[in-house]
């Protein structure tokens, strides 16, 4: 029993010590009196505890002094060194002034003055640092008190900072920042205290009469005990008024019927009907906004928004949350990357949210439920209505490559604006997005899907354009020799690709690279198909040479880096099959091809025997038509025999491949 009493006494002494440390000096008397009202000889044990606590604080003070003392000693040492050097310089100047010229004496005098100014500045710096150190220590102490939720002690520290420490060094920027921060911290303490009071009111509703009376009496006593400190009072009157208002609300709630009763009758079926009407209302809104979105897309010019001056720039960013440091630095006139449909779509989404809210407000639902309704409705607008309009727009015939590039840029900015729509709903409903089960907006996936669809359409339309140019090709497949220059249709195609890829610089890097690689592969495939077309029966060596000139232009285009980001000759590899096939026919290097075939280091590794055979058979009898001079007939016959020999060997290779497969 004695041990229990001793433990209780020790615990009580710890509580008293903590209260002495954190309570205003005016309230220390009643606290100490409780020590002598306790068990006999308890004050002796309390004095021992107090002495131990004092020794502990002395050690902490000594540690802090030691921590700052070293810097002070170092500064003084540096000052002493400077003073000693200055004195030596003075003595040297005096001792040698008789033998020095006027200019040298003047120089030494200026050096002495400079040293004295430096010495004075260092002394001033040390003095200012001594004034700043307590401010930093008190601010650090304030942070610790706030983290440990010792709000009363924190208010006292704030008062000391504002009235004593900060005024001494108020000219410094960091002190001004501290002074601006303190009111915010005091307001946070007030909010936390108010929150604690709300929790208190909710938890003690059952016994609110007696407990509320006791709590207000204690708060009033404490407030009167520290009334000389205005910052420690926290607006006692505010809490008292709030308490009275809450009690009146509780009284009204007791007298009012539940929300799902009108004169005591059940109205659940009525609310169910209202929810069904709300769903139909939202469907009507979605159909209406589908028309609005389509009109916006139809009227858009799909060009960056021009702004001539600051007023026009503010008008755009006032309707749509656009921030770009590089563009803001540019002089007027300038262009914003998105087209005019972007701010219009953003405004219409907000208008839809307002329209949906008007119906939900009358359903007597909680803020969380209203927030959930708004977010679900907005998700339907983005994922179904707006997404559908975007996909229909992308597939329209009049939307070309330039428009598709702008659509990709537009969807990127709309995707970035989704977080602002989240904040917009939060501001309307006052429901934090961190609340459990809060529905998130699915706009990110909507705009990503639309962007991917636009990218795919870019690749398709680009290949279609290449096909249109290919259809203009008009090779003379039986020509005796080439013209010595590339075909006109191919040069027009390459110029088109260059100008197109310049527009692609506004796209994300991977999109532009993929489009460029896709275009080169499609061009190479189309040229190969043209060469191997079954309707083409005969090809002369002159036509092969002309075709080779065109492929060279394609390779030059690929090596000119039309889109940045490719490594090495990655883009040129799109034409590697054509290049090796043409080299084989231009050099007529059949012995090498047949000897090395099947080896990994083969010079013509990308030439398929069936492809070579198909092209070689088109060259069998061209010499009979193109060479009419008798002196060449023997050479032609020899060449035809060689062709026949190579054809047989190629056929055996092809047959061997088919048997192995």
């Amino acid at each position: 029993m004695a041990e229990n009493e001793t433990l209780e006494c020790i615990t009580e002494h710890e509580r008293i010590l903590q209260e002495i440390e954190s309570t205003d000096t005016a309230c220390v008397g009643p606290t100490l009196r409780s020590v002598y009202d306790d068990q006999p000889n308890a004050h002796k044990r309390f004095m021992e505890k107090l002495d131990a606590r004092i020794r502990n604080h002395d050690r902490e003070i000594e540690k802090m002094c030691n921590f700052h003392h070293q810097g002070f000693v170092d500064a003084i040492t540096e000052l002493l060194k400077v003073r000693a050097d200055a004195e030596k310089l003075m003595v040297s100047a005096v001792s040698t002034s008789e033998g020095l010229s006027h200019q040298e004496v003047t120089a030494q005098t200026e050096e002495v003055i400079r040293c004295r100014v430096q010495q004075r500045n260092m002394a001033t710096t040390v003095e200012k640092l001594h004034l700043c150190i307590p401010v930093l220590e008190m601010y650090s102490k304030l942070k610790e008190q706030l983290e440990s939720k010792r709000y009363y002690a924190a208010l006292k520290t704030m008062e000391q900072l504002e009235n004593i420490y900060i005024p001494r060094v108020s000219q410094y920027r960091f002190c001004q920042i501290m002074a601006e921060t303190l009111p915010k911290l005091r307001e946070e303490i007030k909010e936390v205290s108010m929150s604690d009071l709300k929790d208190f009111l909710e938890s003690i509703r059952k016994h609110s009469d007696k407990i509320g009376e006791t709590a207000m009496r204690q708060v009033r006593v404490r407030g009167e005990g520290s009334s000389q400190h205005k910052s420690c009072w926290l607006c006692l009157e505010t809490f008292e008024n709030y308490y009275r208002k809450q009690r009146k609300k509780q009284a009204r709630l007791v007298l009012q019927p539940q929300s799902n009763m009108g004169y005591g009758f059940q109205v659940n079926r009525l609310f169910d009907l209202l929810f069904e009407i709300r769903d139909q209302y939202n469907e009507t809104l979605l159909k209406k906004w589908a028309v609005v979105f389509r009109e916006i897309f139809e009227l858009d010019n799909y060009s960056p928004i021009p702004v001539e001056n600051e007023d026009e720039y503010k008008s755009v960013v006032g309707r749509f949350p656009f921030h770009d440091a590089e563009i803001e630095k540019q002089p007027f006139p300038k262009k914003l990357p998105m087209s005019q449909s972007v701010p219009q779509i953003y405004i219409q989404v907000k208008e839809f949210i307002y329209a949906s809210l008007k119906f939900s407000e009358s359903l007597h639902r909680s803020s969380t439920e209203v927030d959930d309704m708004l977010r679900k409705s907005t998700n339907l607008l983005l994922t179904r209505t707006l997404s559908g309009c975007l996909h229909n727009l992308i597939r329209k015939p009049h939307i070309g490559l330039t428009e598709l590039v702008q659509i990709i840029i537009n969807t990127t900015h709309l995707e970035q604006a989704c977080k602002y729509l989240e904040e917009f709903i939060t501001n309307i409903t006052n429901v934090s997005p961190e609340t459990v089960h809060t529905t998130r907006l699915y706009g990110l996936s909507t705009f990503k899907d639309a962007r991917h669809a636009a990218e795919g359409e870019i690749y398709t339309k680009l290949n279609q354009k290449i096909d249109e140019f290919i259809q203009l090709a008009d090779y003379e497949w039986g020509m005796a020799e080439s013209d010595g220059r590339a075909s006109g249709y191919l040069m027009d195609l390459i110029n088109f690709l260059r100008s197109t890829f310049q527009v692609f610089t506004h796209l994300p890097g991977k999109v532009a690279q993929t489009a460029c690689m896709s275009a080169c592969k499609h061009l190479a495939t189309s040229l190969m198909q043209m060469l191997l077309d079954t309707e083409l029966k005969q090809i002369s060596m002159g036509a092969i040479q002309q075709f080779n000139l065109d492929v060279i232009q394609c390779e030059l285009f690929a090596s000119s880096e039309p889109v940045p980001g490719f490594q090495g000759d990655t883009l040129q590899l799109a034409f590697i099959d054509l290049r090796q096939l043409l080299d084989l026919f231009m050099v007529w290097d059949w012995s090498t091809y047949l000897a090395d075939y099947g080896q990994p280091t083969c010079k013509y590794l990308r030439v398929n025997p069936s492809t070579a055979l198909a092209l070689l058979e088109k060259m069998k009898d061209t010499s009979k038509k193109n060479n009419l001079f008798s002196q060449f007939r023997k050479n032609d016959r020899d060449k035809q025999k060689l062709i026949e020999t190579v054809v047989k060997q190629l056929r055996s290779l092809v047959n061997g491949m088919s048997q192995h497969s």
Side-chain angles (χ1 to χ4, degrees):
M1 186 69 179
E3 291 180 358
N4 291 336
E5 292 178 356
T6 303
L7 290 174
E8 292 177 0
C9 184
I10 293 173
T11 303
E12 180 64 14
H13 289 171
E14 285 291 337
R15 185 192 65 76
I16 293 172
L17 287 173
Q18 292 179 2
E19 189 168 348
I20 290 174
E21 290 175 345
S22 60
T23 307
D24 189 73
T25 54
C27 301
V28 172
T31 303
L32 291 177
R33 190 179 303 113
S34 64
V35 177
Y36 293 90
D37 294 339
D38 205 339
Q39 302 173 10
N41 298 324
H43 67 282
K44 293 182 179 180
R45 289 194 293 273
F46 176 77
M47 290 300 295
E48 293 173 358
K49 288 288 264 185
L50 184 60
D51 290 337
R53 186 64 63 91
I54 291 172
R55 287 194 297 273
N56 185 39
H57 283 306
D58 288 339
R59 283 195 297 272
E60 294 296 324
I61 293 171
E62 186 177 358
K63 288 180 182 178
M64 185 176 294
C65 292
N66 289 337
F67 177 78
H68 295 292
H69 178 71
Q70 187 58 42
F72 177 77
V73 170
D74 293 341
I76 295 300
T77 303
E78 290 295 326
L79 287 174
L80 291 175
K81 289 181 181 178
V82 172
R83 185 172 67 181
D85 292 340
E87 290 175 356
K88 289 180 182 179
L89 184 61
M90 263 314 266
V91 172
S92 175
V94 173
S95 61
T96 59
S97 61
E98 296 179 356
L100 297 177
S101 64
H102 177 71
Q103 293 180 348
E104 292 174 334
V105 171
T106 303
Q108 289 187 353
T109 304
E110 291 177 351
E111 181 66 20
V112 171
I113 294 172
R114 188 185 65 78
C115 290
R116 287 190 177 278
V117 170
Q118 185 178 11
Q119 184 179 9
R120 183 189 63 193
N121 291 342
M122 294 179 70
T124 304
T125 302
V126 171
E127 180 182 353
K128 296 300 183 183
L129 285 175
H130 274 294
L131 293 176
C132 293
I133 287 174
V135 178
L136 297 174
E137 290 175 347
M138 291 296 289
Y139 196 75
S140 177
K141 179 181 177 182
L142 172 62
K143 288 294 185 181
E144 293 176 0
Q145 291 169 340
L146 290 174
E147 290 176 359
S148 59
K149 298 183 179 181
R150 296 168 54 199
Y151 299 123
Y152 183 80
L155 289 171
K156 290 182 61 179
T157 304
M158 283 187 200
E159 184 180 6
Q160 292 177 350
L161 277 170
E162 289 178 328
N163 298 332
I164 300 175
Y165 293 101
I166 290 181
R168 297 176 182 172
V169 285
S170 59
Q171 69 272 26
Y172 297 120
R173 177 62 180 163
F174 79 95
C175 287
Q176 296 174 4
I177 295 174
M178 284 184 186
E180 294 172 358
T181 306
L182 292 180
K184 298 178 182 177
L185 294 177
R186 184 175 286 110
E187 190 64 27
E188 289 178 5
I189 293 176
K190 178 180 177 181
E191 292 177 358
V192 172
S193 302
M194 181 65 77
S195 176
D196 291 342
L197 179 60
K198 291 179 180 178
D199 295 339
F200 165 75
L201 290 172
E202 293 177 2
S203 63
I204 62 167
R205 181 177 178 181
K206 184 176 179 181
H207 306 287
S208 59
D209 294 339
K210 295 182 180 179
I211 297 177
E213 182 180 355
T214 303
M216 294 307 301
R217 187 185 304 116
Q218 291 178 355
V219 172
R220 184 179 297 280
V221 170
R222 177 171 292 187
E224 291 174 352
S226 58
S227 59
Q228 64 271 27
H229 301 295
K230 183 178 180 180
S231 63
C232 300
W233 178 253
L234 277 179
C235 306
L236 176 60
E237 183 179 356
T238 301
F239 292 127
E240 187 171 350
N241 292 335
Y242 177 79
Y243 176 78
R244 295 184 184 279
K245 290 180 180 178
Q246 290 300 314
R247 293 296 294 132
K248 290 179 180 178
K249 288 183 180 179
Q250 291 175 0
R252 285 196 297 269
L253 288 174
V254 172
L255 298 176
Q256 289 178 349
Q258 298 180 5
S259 59
N260 61 349
M261 308 283 288
Y263 300 103
F265 295 98
Q266 291 287 342
V267 292
N268 291 334
R269 294 180 63 184
L270 177 59
F271 277 109
D272 292 340
L273 176 62
L274 288 175
F275 291 152
E276 292 180 8
I277 295 175
R278 179 205 63 193
D279 294 337
Q280 294 298 322
Y281 175 74
N282 281 334
E283 287 295 326
T284 304
L285 290 180
L286 292 173
K287 292 178 182 178
K288 175 183 177 182
W289 257 264
V291 176
V292 173
F293 290 151
R294 284 197 294 268
E295 290 178 352
I296 291 175
F297 289 141
E298 287 294 331
L299 296 175
D300 195 5
N301 59 6
Y302 298 100
S303 300
I305 300 176
V307 286
E308 299 294 331
N309 49 49
E310 186 70 24
D311 291 338
E312 291 185 8
Y313 179 80
K314 290 181 179 179
S315 175
V316 176
V317 298
R319 293 179 288 134
F320 179 76
F322 174 77
H323 306 285
D324 190 302
E326 293 298 324
I327 293 179
E328 289 175 359
K329 293 177 183 177
Q330 296 176 4
F332 290 101
K334 52 189 174 183
K335 293 183 178 181
L336 305 185
M338 64 279 188
S339 65
Q340 61 186 4
S341 65
V342 172
Q344 293 173 353
I345 291 292
Y346 182 78
I347 291 173
Q348 287 302 320
V349 173
K350 292 172 68 174
E351 290 295 328
F352 173 87
I353 294 173
Y354 277 129
S356 180
L357 176 66
K358 288 180 180 178
F359 193 93
S360 300
E361 280 181 331
S362 304
L363 296 179
H364 302 289
R365 300 283 92 182
S366 65
S367 298
T368 304
E369 290 175 305
V370 172
D371 182 88
D372 189 61
M373 293 176 189
L374 284 182
R375 291 177 185 272
K376 288 180 178 178
S377 300
T378 307
N379 277 332
L380 283 176
L381 179 74
L382 296 176
T383 59
R384 196 171 77 187
T385 306
L386 182 55
S387 177
C389 291
L390 279 170
H391 282 80
N392 290 333
L393 172 69
I394 291 167
R395 290 192 292 267
K396 288 194 172 182
H398 71 277
I399 297 296
L401 289 171
T402 304
E403 288 80 8
L404 288 171
V405 170
Q406 188 62 55
I407 289 172
I408 291 176
I409 297 171
N410 289 352
T411 54
T412 302
H413 287 284
L414 286 171
E415 179 182 340
Q416 295 171 354
C418 279
K419 62 180 180 180
Y420 297 102
L421 290 175
E422 294 260 13
E423 295 176 1
F424 178 70
I425 295 176
T426 299
N427 293 334
I428 290 177
T429 61
N430 291 322
V431 176
S432 173
E434 285 76 22
T435 304
V436 181
H437 304 308
T438 297
T439 306
R440 310 298 298 183
L441 292 185
Y442 302 140
L444 298 179
S445 61
T446 296
F447 297 121
K448 283 181 180 177
D449 293 342
R451 188 157 57 251
H452 292 159
E455 292 168 5
E457 196 68 20
I458 281 179
Y459 308 146
T460 302
K461 287 186 180 296
L462 194 57
N463 292 343
Q464 289 174 351
K465 270 291 185 182
I466 292 174
D467 292 340
E468 292 176 6
F469 280 98
I470 293 290
Q471 290 173 2
L472 299 176
D474 187 19
Y475 286 103
E476 186 181 346
W477 296 111
M479 64 172 58
E481 59 182 14
S482 69
D483 295 338
R485 60 179 182 274
S487 303
Y489 86 94
L490 188 79
M491 297 307 299
D492 292 340
L493 170 58
I494 290 176
N495 290 332
F496 163 75
L497 291 177
R498 287 189 188 280
S499 61
T500 299
F501 291 137
Q502 287 179 355
V503 177
F504 283 13
T505 55
H506 301 293
L507 289 174
K510 291 184 178 179
V511 178
Q513 292 172 16
T514 304
C516 188
M517 178 59 78
S518 172
C520 288
K521 286 183 177 179
H522 185 75
L523 176 57
T525 302
S526 300
L527 290 174
M528 182 69 82
Q529 290 174 349
M530 185 190 304
L531 204 60
L532 301 176
D533 187 4
T534 55
E535 295 183 2
L536 178 62
K537 301 301 181 181
Q538 291 184 339
I539 300 177
S540 67
M541 183 56 71
I544 293 290
Q545 293 170 350
Q546 180 64 40
F547 201 83
N548 181 62
L549 291 176
D550 293 345
V551 174
I552 289 175
Q553 290 298 322
C554 295
E555 292 172 322
L556 290 174
F557 168 74
S559 63
S560 66
E561 197 176 13
V563 171
F566 286 106
Q567 296 181 353
D569 56 353
T570 303
L571 201 56
Q572 292 171 267
L573 291 176
F575 301 96
I576 189 65
D577 291 0
L578 269 174
R579 170 49 47 215
Q580 290 190 6
L581 179 64
L582 292 173
D583 284 349
L584 176 60
F585 277 83
M586 295 285 293
V587 181
W588 206 251
D589 198 7
W590 294 105
S591 58
T592 302
Y593 176 76
L594 294 171
D596 296 345
Y597 179 76
Q599 299 181 10
T601 58
C602 178
K603 181 179 179 181
Y604 302 100
L605 183 65
R606 304 300 293 268
V607 179
N608 191 291
S610 58
T611 303
L613 177 61
L615 185 58
L616 191 59
E617 287 183 333
K618 296 176 185 291
M619 301 183 66
K620 276 186 179 180
D621 301 324
T622 56
S623 58
K624 294 181 180 179
K625 292 184 178 180
N626 297 326
N627 296 293
L628 303 178
F629 300 102
S630 59
Q631 60 266 31
F632 296 118
R633 287 176 184 170
K634 185 177 184 302
N635 293 335
D636 292 338
R637 288 196 297 270
D638 293 340
K639 187 174 182 181
Q640 288 300 317
K641 289 180 181 179
L642 177 60
I643 291 176
E644 290 293 343
T645 303
V646 174
V647 165
K648 290 179 182 179
Q649 292 176 321
L650 287 175
R651 282 175 180 168
S652 65
L653 286 177
V654 172
N655 293 332
M657 291 172 59
S658 62
Q659 290 175 0
H660 283 91
S661 61

